[in-house]
Amino acid sequence: MHVRPAHLFSCWAPALVLAATLFPSGAFCQQPSQHQQILQLVEQHAAHFSAISKTIWEYAELGYREEKSSALLRRELEAAGFRVQSPVADEPTAFVATYGQGEPVIGILGEFDALPGLSQAATPDRSPVVADAPGHGCGHNLLGSGAALAAVALKEYMQQNHVAGTLRYYGTPAEEGGDGKVYTLRAGLFRDVDVVLEWHPASENVVSNGGMLAMNSAKFLFHGVAAHAAMAPERGRSALDAVMLMGTGVEFLREHVPSNSRIHYIISNGGAAPNIVPDTAELYLYARNPSLVVLGEVWNRILKIGQGAALMTETTLEVKDVGGTANVLPNDPLAKVAQRNLEEVGGFHYTAEEKHFAEELQKSLPAGGAGDLDSTAVIQPLRKPDPNAAAASTDVGDVSWNVPTIGFETATFVPGVVAHTWQAAASAGMSIGQKGMIVAAKALAATGADLFSDRQLVLDAKSDFQRQLKGRAYVSAIPAGQNPPLNYRSK
Ligand SMILES: [Zn+2]
Ligand SMILES: [Zn+2]
């Protein structure tokens, strides 16, 4: 049963008359008293969760191996009064932390995996803590901790105001290439969720309303027959030939796919020695497109090219370790509220010390790459999803095809710094990253509070979600029986 806190203002129609009386300027829909309380709760826990983010930054664990990071967040949420279910979805580091009961069900996504080779001290020059070790170059230490900060504040807010409904924190492992959320979706863990909120570290403050690229990946492993390459080449059936022909086929395909597609590959196994006809060889390929549906069509053609290469060379093809993530669907009603809340929270300024750090760090960026340091105080205007914008891929996309989803990006990285770099890892391990994280937590918590108090907003989000789907079904390229690739980095 959904209960609105009686003493708080909301955008519900019966409250409008009262709110309009008290806030004749018309600003009543910004729910001033409600947000003041929730923002204060975030403030109260901000230092604690900044410290948690630093600890996870130090752990820097790779996808599906985030044992310590996951355990720390589980302990924190449990101590804050959440019921923790763990592990889930055959993923040892995945968990769900729940508070409350009934409708609506609001989920907040948390990630905590690091990237290989990006170990970096919190210094403005390249300085690995441990050479070649993982580091938080995508800022997921902030992502997981900031989402937990929002969840804990929102839980206390619900408790203090007797708000009905269910709040869930999803501990989702292996975002970096492990498709962790696809498996949690398949396990049915999002089935009853009304709206999902998420955020990601970035170098500006902006609502992320859809976008990103749908992406499929697979290893195309060809099996042939080995032979002496000089003495009996006619006995050999070269798996490497198949790999080369598949690559050539893909190059010709490039002309006949929508121009905003991306196809990239490596030869992950090219044989053992030139004088042995390779009996195994492997092409490791990614394909992307802004639309999951268009990507599916391109992917089918790539599979045919693989089959053609096998036919030409009398080898056999095994398509293995299939990965797939969807593009992120926008949700306009949620984006509008998210924008309003992010503007209400506002950005932040650097201290003199942070400014010095940022200026030193920017010296390592390519010419013209340094951004305006004052831009951390700015909230960018709401953008329309641009299918031609440069973008990466995320398993948040799969969630967005199943549940209405909205996200934030905040300026955790020094302006001009892009994710997956040592500069991003450095920013994520110090106060600059933590300040951005707190902005994100406030925006998430305020939006969560709105969703719990405004039934119409949840309904609007759901109808916009149906409109976005336009009758299309969510289809993942990952085969139904495939288990989470728990050792995917060692392959
Ligand atoms: Zn990343
Ligand atoms: Zn990331």
Side-chain angles (χ1 to χ4, degrees):
M1 188 53 203
H2 184 85
V3 177
R4 181 173 56 90
H7 62 288
L8 296 171
F9 305 117
S10 84
C11 289
W12 279 19
L16 290 183
V17 177
L18 172 64
T21 315
L22 292 171
F23 299 96
S25 66
F28 49 84
C29 252
Q30 295 198 7
Q31 301 164 312
S33 75
Q34 211 174 44
H35 285 172
Q36 196 181 5
Q37 187 188 9
I38 186 76
L39 299 184
Q40 274 170 6
L41 284 166
V42 175
E43 279 291 340
Q44 279 170 25
H45 296 282
H48 181 66
F49 280 90
S50 294
I52 303 274
S53 82
K54 184 67 190 247
T55 304
I56 294 175
W57 181 83
E58 284 163 1
Y59 291 157
E61 298 168 294
L62 293 175
Y64 291 127
R65 297 177 195 175
E66 317 96 325
E67 286 95 1
K68 289 190 283 185
S69 309
S70 168
L72 175 56
L73 288 168
R74 291 198 308 263
R75 273 201 307 277
E76 285 296 326
L77 289 160
E78 209 153 29
F82 284 77
R83 307 183 294 276
V84 176
Q85 197 188 346
S86 150
V88 291
D90 294 325
E91 297 174 327
T93 49
F95 66 93
V96 181
T98 304
Y99 172 75
Q101 57 193 353
E103 293 179 342
V105 182
I106 307 299
I108 302 180
L109 302 180
E111 298 169 7
F112 30 76
D113 56 325
L115 286 158
L118 285 180
S119 173
Q120 168 65 33
T123 56
D125 55 340
R126 178 66 170 130
S127 176
V129 179
V130 180
D132 302 323
H136 271 291
C138 211
H140 292 182
N141 62 310
L142 301 169
L143 200 168
S145 306
L149 168 56
V152 168
L154 199 46
K155 178 253 163 189
E156 288 185 2
Y157 166 84
M158 291 170 75
Q159 202 167 22
Q160 289 173 14
N161 299 296
H162 310 289
V163 175
T166 307
L167 172 63
R168 291 213 192 106
Y169 177 102
Y170 285 87
T172 63
E175 190 282 327
E176 300 288 0
D179 304 329
K181 294 180 195 63
V182 177
Y183 299 95
T184 43
L185 276 162
R186 284 187 178 181
L189 297 171
F190 287 89
R191 205 169 282 150
D192 62 345
V193 184
D194 292 299
V195 172
V196 159
L197 304 175
E198 58 95 19
W199 83 283
H200 199 285
S203 60
E204 60 177 359
N205 304 307
V206 66
V207 168
S208 61
N209 184 29
M212 308 295 277
L213 301 175
M215 180 183 113
N216 289 347
S217 63
K219 291 171 180 163
F220 293 81
L221 176 61
F222 292 90
H223 300 277
V225 179
H228 195 295
M231 219 154 62
E234 72 283 358
R235 292 193 187 177
R237 296 292 179 269
S238 172
L240 179 60
D241 287 358
V243 160
M244 303 294 279
L245 286 164
M246 179 169 179
T248 304
V250 165
E251 294 313 322
F252 278 100
L253 175 70
R254 230 181 256 287
E255 188 185 345
H256 304 287
V257 295
S259 56
N260 54 6
S261 306
R262 296 274 188 277
I263 308 175
H264 24 260
Y265 56 85
I266 57 167
I267 296 174
S268 39
N269 173 6
N275 61 355
I276 306 169
V277 172
D279 62 351
T280 60
E282 187 182 82
L283 187 91
Y284 188 11
L285 180 143
Y286 291 6
R288 314 192 203 214
N289 187 276
S291 155
L292 182 64
V293 176
V294 174
L295 176 65
E297 291 160 8
V298 172
W299 190 247
N300 283 337
R301 299 191 70 187
I302 290 170
L303 292 174
K304 284 181 185 168
I305 289 170
Q307 290 157 5
L311 185 64
M312 280 190 279
T313 51
E314 294 186 357
T315 58
T316 57
L317 169 62
E318 186 186 345
V319 181
K320 51 183 279 196
D321 299 341
V322 178
T325 54
N327 58 300
V328 183
L329 290 181
N331 192 291
D332 292 337
L334 291 176
K336 228 170 110 186
V337 171
Q339 179 71 21
R340 194 182 68 202
N341 290 339
L342 187 58
E343 284 174 7
E344 185 187 344
V345 171
F348 60 92
H349 290 284
Y350 290 160
T351 61
E353 204 180 330
E354 287 162 351
K355 194 161 180 259
H356 178 70
F357 179 99
E359 283 166 351
E360 286 301 307
L361 187 101
Q362 283 186 330
K363 288 178 186 165
S364 67
L365 299 177
D372 175 8
L373 295 187
D374 291 327
S375 67
T376 58
V378 175
I379 305 300
Q380 301 296 325
L382 189 57
R383 295 172 190 157
K384 280 198 185 325
D386 176 2
N388 295 312
S393 306
T394 171
D395 57 8
V396 171
D398 296 73
V399 175
S400 79
W401 278 72
N402 289 276
V403 185
T405 300
I406 194 66
F408 298 94
E409 291 183 1
T410 59
T412 60
F413 305 147
V414 169
V417 168
V418 292
H420 292 210
T421 58
W422 68 260
Q423 291 95 336
S427 312
M430 49 92 68
S431 58
I432 287 176
Q434 292 154 11
K435 279 184 168 175
M437 178 189 90
I438 295 163
V439 169
K442 286 179 176 172
L444 288 169
T447 307
D450 287 353
L451 287 160
F452 279 114
S453 66
D454 187 351
R455 188 195 300 266
Q456 191 56 47
L457 176 58
V458 174
L459 293 175
D460 290 348
K462 287 186 163 193
S463 62
D464 197 68
F465 171 70
Q466 291 302 337
R467 188 178 65 83
Q468 290 293 341
L469 280 180
K470 295 186 193 91
R472 297 172 302 189
Y474 163 71
V475 182
S476 169
I478 299 176
Q482 188 171 299
N483 293 320
L486 301 183
N487 298 312
Y488 70 107
R489 241 160 254 288
S490 57
K491 281 174 188 166

